[in-house]
Amino acid sequence: MVDSNPRVPPDTVLTRRRALAAGAGVLAAGTAGCLDRVTGGTASGESDASDDGPVVVASFFSFYDFAREIAADTPITVENLVPTGLHGHGWEPNASVTRDIVEADAFVHVGEDFQPWADRAIQTLKDDDVDTALINVREGVELTDLAASLDPEEEGVGQGRGKDPHFWLDPQRAKRSVDNITEGLVDLAPDHEDALRENATTYKTDVLDAIDADYQAIFDRADRKVVQLAAHNAFQYIGVRYGVEMRPLVVNLAASGDVKPSDITRAKETIEENDIRFIGNGVFESRRPAKQLLAETQVEAYFPVTPYAGVREDWVAEDWGYEEIAYNVNMPTFEVVLGNERPEDVGPDGWAEEWRNFE
């Protein structure tokens, strides 16, 4: 279980995955330029996945990570379809990805109108009467309304539905997706139902509840209630959960959204009105707008935030999942942008040097 003290440097926290890996070896995972996707083996940290067990593919990193945690120590193999270094809904896969889905026993996806390529793949499964099981992680999740600043007519993700799909940033809402994945995996491997349900319960308690408590402690200590992010509109659920106003630079839901002059003007006003010295920048998004704000405002530096939608090559090498990204990337940045700590006082050793105005 992770330490509930958010001031503990993340590299000293014994995460559940690292505890498993200590007895099972290091997870075999693809890196950028080597494999088309990140592969989780048996999800237990072993590299010798059983050829006889069910194969599950996931359309989005966060839910791949949840699935491999739930499937730990079972014959189920879990694979992430999104290539290393890419955002979860900002790419167009080639035909081999659809083939992987067709050949898999189950496809974990985020629900309709979020990843167009996944919607098309699901339609192909239905049209061709393929028996790949569909596991919708969003089923039964209570979504919040789109931010008032977002114009659904200009946005291509979830267009016209009026709801923000990024629910997994709220650890409590993320629990429902863990339940959905668990039910799907139990259907695939009923002989391992007890292990799957125990893993899911442990993950929700030891990981998601702990992350929630640590986030809450960070935001409770903060005097500042406005955060400026040079990122797309993916962080509203953190604001809703912890009572802070998130001001994204890109007001639509797509990470590839263009930054308009009016977006920069609005961000400048927010920075001046709230005496903001540090801002967050999306890890998989352009640095140019953040650099512009750095040059034209009182902002001293930008630091990383991510909606857990993708992984970097070094994160794969360290076997980082949702938990590790929360503690090593997002939490230290929120400590800084909220004014709780100076950059040099948060995160693992060298965090501020690595991430200050990162490229």
Side-chain angles (χ1 to χ4, degrees):
M1 178 173 176
V2 293
D3 195 315
S4 61
N5 180 0
R7 295 176 182 269
V8 175
D11 61 347
T12 68
V13 175
L14 181 61
T15 64
R16 178 171 181 264
R17 186 186 344 272
R18 296 192 187 286
L20 288 170
V26 179
L27 176 74
T31 58
C34 299
L35 292 178
D36 287 336
R37 61 179 184 266
V38 179
T39 303
T42 57
S44 64
E46 299 174 358
S47 59
D48 53 343
S50 170
D51 292 333
D52 299 326
V55 174
V56 177
V57 294
S59 72
F60 200 79
F61 172 76
S62 299
F63 306 111
Y64 150 75
D65 189 51
F66 292 173
R68 65 172 175 163
E69 290 286 351
I70 298 164
D73 299 318
T74 76
I76 299 172
T77 297
V78 182
E79 300 174 348
N80 179 23
L81 295 173
V82 181
T84 302
L86 294 183
H87 205 279
H89 57 88
W91 67 296
E92 284 295 327
N94 57 34
S96 67
V97 172
T98 300
R99 184 174 63 250
D100 290 336
I101 296 171
V102 169
E103 293 176 351
D105 295 285
F107 178 40
V108 177
H109 63 98
V110 195
E112 63 179 348
D113 296 324
F114 183 68
Q115 295 174 296
W117 67 268
D119 292 345
R120 291 193 297 270
I122 290 171
Q123 190 60 51
T124 296
L125 296 178
K126 294 178 179 178
D127 291 344
D128 295 344
D129 198 24
V130 178
D131 62 358
T132 300
L134 297 175
I135 302 175
N136 181 353
V137 302
R138 198 168 70 194
E139 185 174 351
V141 176
E142 182 180 354
L143 300 179
T144 192
D145 292 338
L146 291 174
S149 60
L150 191 145
D151 180 358
E153 298 306 318
E154 295 181 359
E155 168 49 43
V157 180
Q159 183 171 349
R161 296 186 177 271
K163 298 293 182 179
D164 188 335
H166 298 88
F167 70 90
W168 60 89
L169 276 86
D170 176 349
Q172 293 303 319
R173 283 182 168 90
K175 284 182 175 183
R176 183 58 186 261
S177 66
V178 170
D179 292 337
N180 290 333
I181 294 169
T182 302
E183 295 306 318
L185 298 188
V186 167
D187 288 343
L188 281 183
D191 290 345
H192 298 274
E193 178 176 2
D194 290 345
L196 292 166
R197 295 195 185 282
E198 182 178 353
N199 287 341
T201 298
T202 299
Y203 188 78
K204 288 189 293 183
T205 301
D206 289 5
V207 177
L208 294 178
D209 279 344
I211 289 173
D212 186 28
D214 287 352
Y215 266 134
Q216 188 69 63
I218 290 171
F219 286 93
D220 283 349
R221 289 203 311 275
D223 293 328
R224 184 183 305 283
K225 296 302 179 184
V226 175
V227 171
Q228 179 65 54
L229 302 175
H232 75 292
N233 200 344
F235 296 88
Q236 184 183 194
Y237 282 92
I238 289 182
V240 170
R241 176 72 184 162
Y242 305 110
V244 172
E245 185 176 351
M246 295 290 171
R247 299 283 185 89
L249 187 62
V250 181
V251 297
N252 63 30
L253 297 178
S256 58
D258 293 332
V259 178
K260 304 172 184 177
S262 59
D263 298 331
I264 294 291
T265 298
R266 184 173 55 251
K268 288 180 177 180
E269 292 172 352
T270 297
I271 289 166
E272 182 177 357
E273 291 171 1
N274 295 277
D275 193 27
I276 291 174
R277 301 291 173 173
F278 301 102
I279 62 175
N281 193 97
V283 173
F284 300 102
E285 300 181 49
S286 172
R287 315 287 189 262
R288 185 177 300 173
K291 291 179 178 179
Q292 182 177 348
L293 293 175
L294 198 64
E296 299 177 2
T297 71
Q298 64 195 23
V299 168
E300 298 176 22
Y302 60 84
F303 290 95
V305 289
T306 174
Y308 311 96
V311 285
R312 303 195 330 170
E313 183 175 347
D314 54 329
W315 298 358
V316 173
E318 291 292 328
D319 190 25
W320 281 10
Y322 183 100
E323 180 184 12
E324 289 80 12
I325 293 170
Y327 282 96
N328 287 280
V329 180
N330 285 341
M331 284 192 197
T333 290
F334 283 120
E335 290 272 30
V336 171
V337 299
L338 288 167
N340 291 354
E341 302 282 355
R342 292 290 299 179
E344 57 270 19
D345 296 328
V346 302
D349 290 343
W351 183 87
E353 292 181 9
E354 176 184 0
W355 286 110
R356 178 187 290 268
N357 301 333
F358 63 98
E359 294 295 333

